[in-house]
Amino acid sequence: MAATTPLVAMGHLGLACGGDGVGHMLAEHPLYLECFSRLQYELLSGDGPLPLHLRRYIAIMAACRHECTYLVEEQKAAFLEVGGPEEWLEGLEYAPKKLRDLHSTNLLLAHRPWMFDHQHVQKLLKSSWSASELTHAICIMAQFHALSSFIIGTGIEAASGDATTHPSLYVQGCTSGSPSSQELSEGGVDILVERMRTLSVAHSDFSCVSEERTRMSFEKLKKQTANISTPDVECVPDSQGRYEHLSPDRDYMYTDFSKRGEKTAVPTLKSQDCSWEDHGFSLLSELYSQVADLLDDKFKTAYSLTYFTCGHETHIDTFPFRRGVWNYLHCLYGIRHDDYDYSQINQLLERNLKLFLKTVACYPEKLSCTEPNLSLMKGFQQSEKVHVMILVLEARLQAELLHALRSLGHCFM
Ligand SMILES: CC(C)C[C@H](N)C(=O)O
């Protein structure tokens, strides 16, 4: 991990962050930390098909998409350490064509992964990429896009001293919402626990949700989500453009999967047609077997991680909330779970939390122009806020990989 200042700083969620970054932040989640470290090691130093310096350069390209200075600097140092040529760091134009060809894939996967289709895959395979190399590169990119969200969202980036924070209306300006959302944001953990209890009971009574209900509630949430966006105050972080030379096209960003009234150009990905368990995992096992199991472990660990607590309350089944965060993230990336009633999300995630989750997942670089919002997840323990960020990291990673693997699958199956 890169050297960071040993200062204790407060991130966007008011999390204290020491100097050793990810390890420190995950210290209270050792089960997850272990899976995380194993995968990170395998991707960057294990026996995958790509040479070590290319792996690090790809990680740099990915972290640049979200202006994540912490990761960019960490990976630059590692790139030089494994013998990467210094001049490549001057800009993408100095890197070999093989890496330059990956730029558009990096753009799409970082910001609009649903648009990465089999034609992109074919183009790369016709140039100098083999299937297993491309799969390796995609896994590194997806991991570093999602990790950027985690690093910025937990405040590790701010603690590293490079980020700037500006007062802005961005978070504070959006406190309104439905009465149910307001009650949740004011009542914090107590209201949340009450709602989780109700949903846990309801869930055990009717575990089967009709497909029509899933579809309708998903479409409704998708429209609402498109309306949750940054206010008109244009946010241009000071760091904007810092990495133009390593990853051009700064203006290319996340757009809502489907906006109200607009036709959806790309169909929703239904989990029954493309789930991690049935599709992603088996394809990855064939193309890059070393990481398939590690990723599977990491997803399972993150998804099922629980201490049965919520703030000061113990013996709580928090699955409804954790699942709500996960499925909300997937909704942002156009993935629908066929057994889920999406109206639950509005009962469990208040509007400001949804705004935060959308920002931190889709354009985390914008958080550097906002003030920390200390009232988010009112009553949660510090480690629980980190837990939510683990869910963001993993759900985003899985969504990106599902889109990428679907397109890879078209070319190989
Ligand atoms: C994110 C938190 C509400 C998770 C909770 N502490 C649990 O043990 O499941």
Side-chain angles (χ1 to χ4, degrees):
M1 289 287 150
T4 53
T5 49
L7 294 172
V8 170
M10 302 295 273
H12 285 276
L13 297 172
L15 298 168
C17 177
D20 60 347
V22 180
H24 172 91
M25 201 48 85
L26 291 175
E28 290 189 74
H29 301 286
L31 261 186
Y32 174 77
L33 176 59
E34 196 185 325
C35 302
F36 175 89
S37 308
R38 291 211 327 251
L39 177 81
Q40 192 81 344
Y41 178 84
E42 186 58 47
L43 284 177
L44 297 170
S45 313
D47 353 290
L50 287 172
L52 297 184
H53 64 302
L54 291 201
R55 303 179 193 196
R56 299 293 181 166
Y57 199 83
I58 293 165
I60 296 169
M61 288 168 68
C64 282
R65 288 319 306 165
H66 294 307
E67 319 260 342
C68 186
T69 300
Y70 177 89
L71 286 178
V72 173
E73 293 308 320
E74 174 191 87
Q75 295 306 311
K76 271 185 182 173
F79 170 78
L80 294 173
E81 221 166 89
V82 295
E86 212 171 332
E87 63 160 331
W88 294 11
L89 299 179
E90 304 274 308
L92 189 58
E93 67 203 271
Y94 297 95
K97 180 169 181 305
K98 182 165 178 139
L99 288 171
R100 295 201 307 272
D101 285 348
L102 211 55
H103 173 61
S104 56
T105 300
N106 187 29
L107 283 188
L108 291 172
L109 290 182
H111 308 292
R112 304 175 200 171
W114 55 88
M115 289 176 69
F116 178 72
D117 62 22
H118 63 283
Q119 285 164 347
H120 292 101
V121 177
Q122 273 159 355
K123 215 169 137 194
L124 286 165
L125 295 179
K126 276 194 199 132
S127 68
S128 48
W129 288 89
S130 74
S132 64
E133 284 175 337
L134 180 58
T135 310
H136 191 173
I138 285 174
C139 289
I140 295 176
M141 281 188 277
Q143 168 79 356
F144 276 81
H145 295 147
L147 189 53
S148 300
S149 289
F150 182 86
I151 298 280
I152 297 175
T154 51
I156 295 175
E157 171 85 353
S160 74
D162 280 316
T164 44
T165 38
H166 297 291
S168 145
L169 293 175
Y170 176 55
V171 175
Q172 297 97 318
C174 205
T175 46
S176 61
S178 65
S180 151
S181 164
Q182 250 169 31
E183 187 189 24
L184 191 56
S185 96
E186 282 156 21
V189 158
D190 296 330
I191 302 285
L192 178 62
V193 166
E194 202 178 295
R195 292 191 186 175
M196 283 193 292
R197 281 204 180 110
T198 316
L199 287 171
S200 297
V201 174
H203 184 71
S204 54
D205 285 353
F206 313 96
S207 48
C208 194
V209 183
S210 77
E211 202 187 324
E212 187 54 12
R213 183 165 180 162
T214 299
R215 200 184 58 77
M216 301 271 287
S217 61
F218 178 83
E219 291 303 320
K220 197 169 162 199
L221 181 73
K222 205 165 71 173
K223 281 182 191 152
Q224 282 174 0
T225 299
N227 288 336
I228 295 190
S229 54
T230 50
D232 292 337
V233 186
E234 254 320 296
C235 158
V236 182
D238 276 2
S239 58
Q240 181 90 43
R242 184 184 289 180
Y243 299 123
E244 181 71 36
H245 60 304
L246 286 165
S247 189
D249 303 299
R250 304 311 314 162
D251 294 343
Y252 194 88
M253 292 184 92
Y254 174 86
T255 51
D256 285 293
F257 184 70
S258 150
K259 283 219 160 151
R260 188 192 292 269
E262 279 174 18
K263 271 199 177 160
T264 317
V266 185
T268 299
L269 203 63
K270 287 183 241 149
S271 65
Q272 77 233 49
D273 301 333
C274 194
S275 68
W276 166 256
E277 293 76 15
D278 298 333
H279 305 86
F281 175 67
S282 51
L283 181 60
L284 200 59
S285 304
E286 287 186 33
L287 293 172
Y288 183 19
S289 59
Q290 298 92 319
V291 301
D293 283 319
L294 294 176
L295 265 170
D296 191 47
D297 261 5
K298 191 157 81 95
F299 288 143
K300 282 191 183 132
T301 304
Y303 192 74
S304 58
L305 192 68
T306 183
Y307 309 91
F308 301 100
T309 60
C310 192
H312 54 275
E313 306 249 15
T314 52
H315 307 290
I316 307 292
D317 174 11
T318 60
F319 183 57
F321 176 79
R322 292 180 286 112
R323 187 188 194 199
V325 172
W326 187 281
N327 287 352
Y328 182 64
L329 262 286
H330 276 193
C331 174
L332 291 170
Y333 287 96
I335 295 172
R336 183 176 94 206
H337 292 263
D338 38 304
D339 56 348
Y340 188 63
D341 176 0
Y342 284 85
S343 66
Q344 288 195 11
I345 288 179
N346 282 338
Q347 297 177 56
L348 298 166
L349 314 184
E350 47 103 3
R351 192 180 155 85
N352 278 328
L353 180 55
K354 281 191 264 178
L355 170 63
F356 173 76
L357 293 175
K358 182 175 176 182
T359 310
V360 78
C362 304
Y363 19 68
E365 62 281 7
K366 287 202 178 192
L367 281 180
S368 67
C369 357
T370 71
E371 286 283 292
N373 182 352
L374 302 180
S375 67
L376 267 182
M377 297 183 257
K378 198 166 156 190
F380 275 38
Q381 314 273 357
Q382 303 284 307
S383 65
E384 290 176 329
K385 295 181 181 179
V386 177
H387 190 158
V388 171
M389 288 307 306
I390 293 174
L391 293 169
V392 170
L393 191 169
E394 296 302 324
R396 181 183 173 187
L397 172 63
Q398 192 178 79
E400 189 172 324
L401 282 176
L402 282 176
H403 284 293
L405 288 168
R406 183 198 43 175
S407 304
L408 282 169
H410 275 158
C411 300
F412 301 120
M413 294 290 136

